[in-house]
């Protein structure tokens, strides 16, 4: 059995936040990160605050400008949903590569972000779609761009008593496309050794109107490669431009050596995968 | 310890038990209901031996609390046969997809969830779908053969 804990199962967001404020309880979503840590002896929470009974965290709501997706939405949704496949392709590609079908049926988008892992497969793709976090506390709600959500390794901008309610995704413009490349040592059930997400939008004359790049496992947190993006915007897309931007992205990344890979290899990957992701995003437009 | 009363519908039968909250669904099935077809390999979501179908979707029962199955339907390997062997079980035998058999219940539950959703999956789709089920014996090809065979058998019904 898992180490003993006290289980609380609030029915509303307000109740969940209040409990989190008053106790040292930890939110429990799909449990695919928490139980692995508990089973491995790395985590012994006294209290778990299950979010399972809070239906409001499963809401998916379309507006004119975009879509709100509840934090409890499992990866499987992004894997199968047609809008995700066609308009938010990189997010679909990221979530469809998390663990296995069994993990994707339980693991949630909120848990993937709040766990704070630099390798989270949804993080880079969400970053290039300019995702916004809707965060709630006991008596308030605030929004924060995902870019500002990650503060350090395993550290997010969530304060005590706050939970992630949903993710807001602005509607992508019409002449745009995206690509997520996850580099792993084997084809299944592996965390990203490096992840590159690219989003490109073209103007009427075929120039790059908007470019966004995100890198995962290329530093202590998922990051946007802002300088590389600026190099791309306003220019005609071509291989040499992509290659130049990729070299800048390599400079912007801060990978470290881990048992999965050396820092040097990760830097080489940033360069080659950024080029590839840009090229393949462009080919999709 | 924090205890709860739960009622879980397993293979169509209703079971009510009082259990500690930290008990996983895999432990509940094996130790409370003595349904030992569901295997525990890693207890951390890596091997898929504990796969069951919870309200229609395949899950690792080692990563689900038994209390979170309260009021829900669980299908385990013990519940798939309908008098005679289920086509998946028959096809696994016919294709030589069972060696030591430890992975087989989990493989069959994953495959069943797939065929319930997509009755005619390609080999590629089958291969991807069983990515969370490890097999140390067969080399996987015969398992994929078996799922294909079972799909054909089910389509002929
Ligand atoms: C076998 C296996 C393979 C995996 N493979 C991958 C992979 O390939 N790629 C990948 O990215 N991940 C992978 N993971 C990790 C994990 O499945 C994902 O990170 C998943 O999305 C976590 O979501 P969860 O709902 O299970 O989170 P939980 O484990 O329930 O929670 C994780 C953390 O987030 C917090 N939390 C959850 N929801 C909220 C909320 N709404 N507000 C505030 N805090 C919250 C919890 O308190 C906890 O700290 C894998 C895990 C396993 C077991
Ligand atoms: S025992 Fe559950 S996945 Fe291995
Ligand atoms: S038959 Fe032995 S593990 Fe698959």
């Amino acid at each position: 059995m898992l180490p003993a804990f006290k289980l609380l199962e609030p029915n509303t967001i307000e109740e969940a936040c209040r409990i989190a404020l008053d106790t040292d309880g930890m939110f429990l979503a799909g449990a695919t990160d928490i139980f692995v840590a508990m089973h491995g002896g790395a985590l012994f929470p006294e209290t778990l605050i299950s979010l399972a009974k809070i239906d409001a965290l499963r809401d998916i709501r379309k507006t004119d400008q975009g879509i709100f997706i509840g934090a409890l939405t499992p990866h499987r949704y992004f894997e199968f949903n047609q809008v995700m496949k066609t308009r938010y392709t990189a997010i679909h590609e990221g979530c469809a590569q998390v663990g296995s079908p069994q993990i994707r049926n339980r693991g949630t988008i909120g848990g993937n972000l709040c766990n704070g892992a630099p390798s989270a497969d949804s993080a880079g793709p969400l970053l290039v779609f300019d995702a916004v976090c809707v965060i709630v506390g006991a008596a308030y709600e605030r929004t924060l761009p995902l870019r500002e959500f990650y503060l350090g390794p395993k550290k997010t901008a969530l304060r005590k008593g706050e939970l992630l309610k949903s993710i807001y995704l602005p509607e992508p413009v019409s002449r745009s496309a995206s690509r997520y490349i996850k580099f792993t040592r084997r084809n299944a059930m592996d965390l990203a050794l490096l992840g590159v997400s690219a989003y490109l939008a073209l103007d009427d004359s075929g120039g790059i109107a908007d470019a966004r790049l995100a890198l995962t496992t290329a530093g202590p947190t998922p990051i946007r490669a802002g300088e590389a993006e600026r190099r791309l915007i306003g220019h005609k897309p071509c291989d040499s431009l992509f290659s130049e931007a990729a070299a800048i992205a390599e400079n912007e990344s801060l990978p470290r050596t881990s048992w999965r890979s050396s820092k040097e290899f990760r830097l080489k990957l940033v360069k080659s995968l950024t080029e590839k992701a840009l090229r393949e995003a462009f080919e999709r437009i | 310890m924090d205890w709860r009363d739960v009622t879980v519908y397993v293979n169509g039968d209703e079971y009510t038990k009082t259990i500690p909250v930290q008990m996983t669904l895999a432990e509940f099935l094996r130790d409370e209901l003595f349904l030992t077809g569901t295997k525990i390999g890693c207890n951390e979501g890596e091997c898929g031996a504990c796969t069951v179908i919870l309200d229609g979707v395949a899950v690792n029962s080692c990563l689900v609390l038994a209390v979170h199955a309260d009021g829900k339907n669980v299908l385990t390997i013990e519940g798939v046969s309908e008098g005679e062997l289920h086509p998946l079980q028959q096809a696994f035998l016919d294709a030589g997809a069972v060696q030591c058999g430890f992975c087989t219940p989990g493989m069959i539950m994953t495959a069943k969830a797939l065929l319930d959703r997509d009755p005619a999956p390609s080999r590629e789709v089958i291969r991807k779908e069983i990515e969370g089920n490890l097999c140390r014996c067969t080399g996987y090809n015969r398992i994929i053969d078996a799922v294909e065979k079972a799909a054909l058998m089910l389509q002929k019904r």
Side-chain angles (χ1 to χ4, degrees), chain A residues 7 39 76 96 102 104-105, chain B residues 2 4 44 51 58 129 131:
Chain A
L7 181 69
H39 180 249
R76 210 62 164 161
Q102 294 94 315
R104 296 194 290 276
N105 280 330
Chain B
D2 192 359
R4 294 293 150 84
E44 22 189 80
T51 304
E129 195 74 5
E131 67 188 335

Side-chain angles (χ1 to χ4, degrees), chain B residues 75-122:
Chain B
L75 186 70
T76 72
I77 189 68
E78 288 89 348
V80 298
S81 69
E82 307 137 342
E84 59 192 48
L85 291 181
H86 183 276
L88 271 165
Q89 293 172 306
Q90 191 60 53
F92 267 64
L93 291 179
D94 295 348
V98 182
Q99 286 189 31
C100 81
F102 195 82
C103 71
T104 313
M107 282 286 182
I108 288 184
M109 299 321 289
T110 300
K112 177 151 195 325
L114 168 63
L115 296 185
D116 288 348
R117 192 182 77 238
D118 176 358
S122 66

Side-chain angles (χ1 to χ4, degrees), chain B:
Chain B
M1 263 202 284
D2 192 359
W3 296 76
R4 294 293 150 84
D5 295 331
V6 294
T7 300
V8 188
Y9 302 87
V10 182
N11 303 328
D13 295 327
E14 180 179 320
Y15 297 91
T16 298
K17 298 270 176 186
T18 305
I19 55 163
V21 291
Q22 71 268 27
M23 177 180 277
T24 67
L25 179 56
E27 290 159 346
F28 178 77
L29 294 168
R30 291 179 55 85
D31 303 341
E32 294 289 320
L33 308 187
F34 306 112
L35 295 172
T36 53
T38 300
K39 304 300 178 209
I40 297 177
C42 64
N43 245 332
E44 22 189 80
E46 290 283 347
C47 75
C50 66
T51 304
V52 301
I53 299 181
L54 176 64
D55 275 357
V57 299
V59 301
N60 300 117
S61 61
C62 69
L63 292 182
V64 177
L65 291 182
V67 296
H68 280 158
D70 187 28
K72 298 200 166 148
N73 285 303
V74 180
L75 186 70
T76 72
I77 189 68
E78 288 89 348
V80 298
S81 69
E82 307 137 342
E84 59 192 48
L85 291 181
H86 183 276
L88 271 165
Q89 293 172 306
Q90 191 60 53
F92 267 64
L93 291 179
D94 295 348
V98 182
Q99 286 189 31
C100 81
F102 195 82
C103 71
T104 313
M107 282 286 182
I108 288 184
M109 299 321 289
T110 300
K112 177 151 195 325
L114 168 63
L115 296 185
D116 288 348
R117 192 182 77 238
D118 176 358
S122 66
R123 279 185 85 80
E124 243 352 274
V125 168
I126 298 170
R127 190 181 294 279
K128 166 98 175 134
E129 195 74 5
I130 61 168
E131 67 188 335
N133 291 82
L134 295 183
C135 175
R136 296 302 302 272
C137 305
T138 64
Y140 300 100
N141 282 327
R142 285 168 182 237
I143 291 174
I144 296 163
D145 294 344
V147 179
E148 266 191 323
K149 261 186 211 263
L152 288 174
M153 284 159 78
L154 283 161
Q155 284 163 40
K156 283 200 193 116
R157 278 195 175 176

Side-chain angles (χ1 to χ4, degrees), chain A residues 44-58:
Chain A
F44 300 91
E46 216 167 278
T47 305
L48 288 177
I49 310 165
S50 168
L51 302 176
K53 291 198 168 150
I54 309 177
D55 285 335
L57 295 176
R58 291 193 182 84

Side-chain angles (χ1 to χ4, degrees), chain A residues 9 16 19 32 34 47 50 62-63 68 86-87 89 109 130 157 180 187 201 211 217 221 236 241 275-276:
Chain A
E9 300 184 275
I19 297 171
T32 60
I34 293 181
T47 305
S50 168
K62 255 201 80 57
T63 67
F68 286 90
T86 54
R87 309 299 320 270
T89 315
I109 194 92
D130 280 344
Y180 175 61
N187 288 336
T217 331
T221 69
K236 288 269 178 233
L241 179 70
E275 262 184 84
K276 187 165 147 65

